[in-house]
Amino acid sequence: MTIASSNGSPSLSYSSDKDAKEHQPLSSRPDRSTTHGAESKISHPSSDVSNEALMNSVQTMLAELGEDPEREGLLKTPKRVAEAMRFLTNGYHQSLEDLVNGAIFDEGHDEMVLVRDINLFSLCEHHMLPFMGKAHVAYIPNQKVVGLSKLARIVEMYSRRLQVQERLTRQVAEAIQEILDPQGVAVVVEANHMCMVMRGVQKPGSWTVTSSMVGVFKEDQKVREEFLNLIRHQPSFF
Ligand SMILES: Nc1nc2c(ncn2[C@@H]2O[C@H](COP(=O)(O)OP(=O)(O)OP(=O)(O)O)[C@@H](O)[C@H]2O)c(=O)[nH]1
Ligand SMILES: [Zn+2]
């Protein structure tokens, strides 16, 4: 078994806030952000895309909010916001293949590999407000292992898009399944949604847990429990 920590029914999906209504998982219809093949075909890296239209829309938004876009403090704001939004959504322009960069090793290993506490920052697709938290990613290899950092990079790629937490969780699991064809994959994401904190229902302290279990993690309760215990375990070196 390998455990790494990054500071950086079988499927569960719940919010810790009892007042918050349970959300049904949103539609799982395929779109460009759920199909790996389609992602790698997106051929406009952010550097090639002009920010002009984006900057204009930020300027319009400032004016609509009653601000004066010409005042000194706001002069560079459209540019800053455009660049920030490009960064926060740069996961659209990455492909799984480039990201893994061939770092798949035939180790003959068949015990659980877990990278815990992978920090993530994403934007909810409904409000374009941040949600942030941690992902825990495990798999049981079928001989082949992937470079540990790649698991965190996969989380990063799918986080840097407009997302719903359920889809993000599932995409990470599907990606690992695709690159390694392991015996199983387990992904748990724990996150705090600013759209539920700063506005709307206004429930600071609420957090949402989603999971995606594939293969042995779905079929074998013992394997799943081992994973869930490992992500609850407090490391002794912190
Ligand atoms: N399932 C799921 N829902 C999310 C996620 N992020 C935001 N939401 C929810 O998306 C829903 C959008 O609901 P709407 O009624 O269309 O929008 P709204 O009027 O702004 O909703 P409120 O947030 O309840 O004020 C809200 O319930 C959000 O909490 C997510 O990652 N997963
Ligand atoms: Zn939201």
Side-chain angles (χ1 to χ4, degrees), residues 92-104:
Y92 288 125
H93 308 294
Q94 296 173 355
S95 78
L96 200 49
E97 198 183 350
D98 290 347
L99 177 157
V100 171
N101 193 29
I104 291 178

Side-chain angles (χ1 to χ4, degrees), residues 23-26 124-127 131 163-166 193 195-196 199-201 208:
H23 299 297
Q24 292 299 317
L26 299 183
C124 90
E125 68 182 18
H126 304 117
H127 303 96
F131 65 94
Q163 276 289 10
V164 294
Q165 188 176 324
E166 295 90 330
H193 289 245
C195 65
M196 286 179 63
R199 56 157 298 286
V201 72
T208 302

Side-chain angles (χ1 to χ4, degrees), residues 70-82:
E70 301 303 322
R71 75 175 170 83
E72 196 183 347
L74 294 179
L75 279 179
K76 284 181 158 179
T77 297
K79 181 172 183 289
R80 293 190 193 102
V81 174

Side-chain angles (χ1 to χ4, degrees), residues 9-34:
S9 121
S11 269
L12 67 141
S13 175
Y14 63 88
S15 167
S16 72
D17 190 313
K18 292 196 175 73
D19 295 339
K21 286 178 204 156
E22 277 195 10
H23 299 297
Q24 292 299 317
L26 299 183
S27 161
S28 57
R29 67 185 182 279
D31 58 24
R32 73 170 186 168
S33 60
T34 58

Side-chain angles (χ1 to χ4, degrees), residues 158-218:
Y158 290 108
S159 301
R160 298 294 188 194
R161 299 174 179 202
L162 301 184
Q163 276 289 10
V164 294
Q165 188 176 324
E166 295 90 330
R167 187 169 69 228
L168 166 62
T169 311
R170 194 180 62 246
Q171 285 176 327
V172 173
E174 286 172 357
I176 295 161
Q177 186 66 33
E178 182 178 324
I179 57 174
L180 285 180
D181 193 23
Q183 298 179 54
V185 185
V187 179
V188 165
V189 174
E190 304 167 312
N192 188 10
H193 289 245
M194 286 304 113
C195 65
M196 286 179 63
V197 171
M198 298 171 66
R199 56 157 298 286
V201 72
Q202 296 181 69
K203 294 293 176 202
S206 67
W207 46 287
T208 302
V209 182
T210 47
S211 79
S212 182
M213 305 281 171
V214 180
V216 283
F217 288 93
K218 190 165 193 144

